[in-house]
């Protein structure tokens, strides 16, 4: 049991180191794809690397000394055993309770997504499955599903949105989102894991903005679309949605060399 707790401490410490390295060295850079792999490999490395630390046990032979035990008076006393608290067991219970709560939150988010997509008309467009909904929800993508409300946007705005979401779909950004959520379930006790997930999701938005802008002639119109999306505050938690990170940061990154 003790080794398990040591493993989680080491893994959590590595996650913190990777997060701080990203925030201090890479966050303001425009190598978004490189940042994506750095953040992903940071999580994977943090879970694998502690397994290679092997504790070396050194056995020391006890010294044999001659001692006359007959000179020691023998007394008999019966003492009531003191109850001992198994702190490792208590921590294990607390950890698994946190796991259950975090996992139920993930299941709830999946259920919300399934309910939203159930019964909706789907239109195939190449490898993408476009779903036009009536709910006032920010546009989002989940693997090859792209969901939006066409009545809320002009034709130009909708084209900009689709270009953005197609990048998410083509580059499989939903995998990154699911991985980050999985780590939030396992390392829920580490407060920085939630900031780590936020950094990953924001960087995915930077990638989508950067790639989408290459196929859009009017960048100003694209930025206006970003601002308009802020009116749709509702979003699906486990998806790549258009209004995911702070709009100001996205516009700054979009205009940065």
């Amino acid at each position: 049991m003790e080794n398990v707790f040591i493993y989680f401490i080491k893994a959590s410490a590595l996650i913190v180191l990777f997060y701080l390295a990203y925030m201090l060295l890479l966050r303001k850079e425009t190598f978004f794809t490189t940042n994506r792999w750095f953040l992903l490999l940071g999580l994977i490395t943090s879970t694998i690397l502690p397994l290679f630390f092997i504790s070396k046990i050194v056995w020391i032979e006890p010294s044999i000394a001659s001692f006359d035990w007959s000179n020691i008076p023998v007394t008999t006393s019966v003492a009531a055993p003191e109850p001992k608290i198994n702190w490792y067991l208590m921590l294990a219970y607390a950890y698994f309770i946190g796991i259950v709560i975090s996992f139920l939150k993930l299941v709830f988010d999946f259920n919300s997504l399934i309910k939203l997509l159930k019964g909706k008309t789907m239109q195939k467009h190449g490898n993408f499955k476009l779903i036009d909904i009536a709910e006032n929800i920010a546009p989002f993508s989940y693997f090859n599903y792209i969901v939006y409300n066409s009545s809320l946007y002009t034709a130009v705005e909708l084209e900009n949105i689709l270009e953005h979401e197609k990048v998410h779909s083509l580059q499989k950004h939903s995998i990154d989102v699911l991985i980050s959520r999985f780590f939030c379930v396992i390392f829920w006790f580490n407060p920085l894991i939630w900031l780590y997930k936020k950094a990953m999701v924001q960087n995915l938005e930077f990638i989508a903005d950067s790639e989408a802008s290459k196929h859009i002639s009017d960048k100003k119109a694209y930025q206006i679309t970003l601002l308009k999306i802020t009116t749709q505050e509702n979003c699906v938690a486990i998806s790549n949605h258009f209004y995911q990170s702070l709009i100001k940061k996205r516009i700054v990154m979009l205009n940065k060399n």
Side-chain angles (χ1 to χ4, degrees), residues 151-163:
S151 64
L152 301 176
Y153 314 103
T154 65
V156 174
E157 291 169 346
L158 189 58
E159 181 182 354
N160 293 337
I161 291 170
L162 291 178
E163 286 293 337

Side-chain angles (χ1 to χ4, degrees), residues 130 137-141 146-150 152-168 208-209 212 216 221-222 225-226 228-229 232 240-243 250:
L130 308 182
I137 293 178
F140 68 90
S141 61
I146 299 177
V147 183
Y148 56 90
N149 185 343
S150 61
L152 301 176
Y153 314 103
T154 65
V156 174
E157 291 169 346
L158 189 58
E159 181 182 354
N160 293 337
I161 291 170
L162 291 178
E163 286 293 337
H164 177 95
E165 298 301 337
K166 285 178 180 178
V167 176
H168 282 312
D209 288 336
I216 296 173
Y222 182 81
T225 304
L226 286 179
K228 184 175 180 178
I229 298 298
Q232 283 78 50
N240 300 289
H241 35 89
F242 201 80
Y243 178 50
R250 290 173 62 180

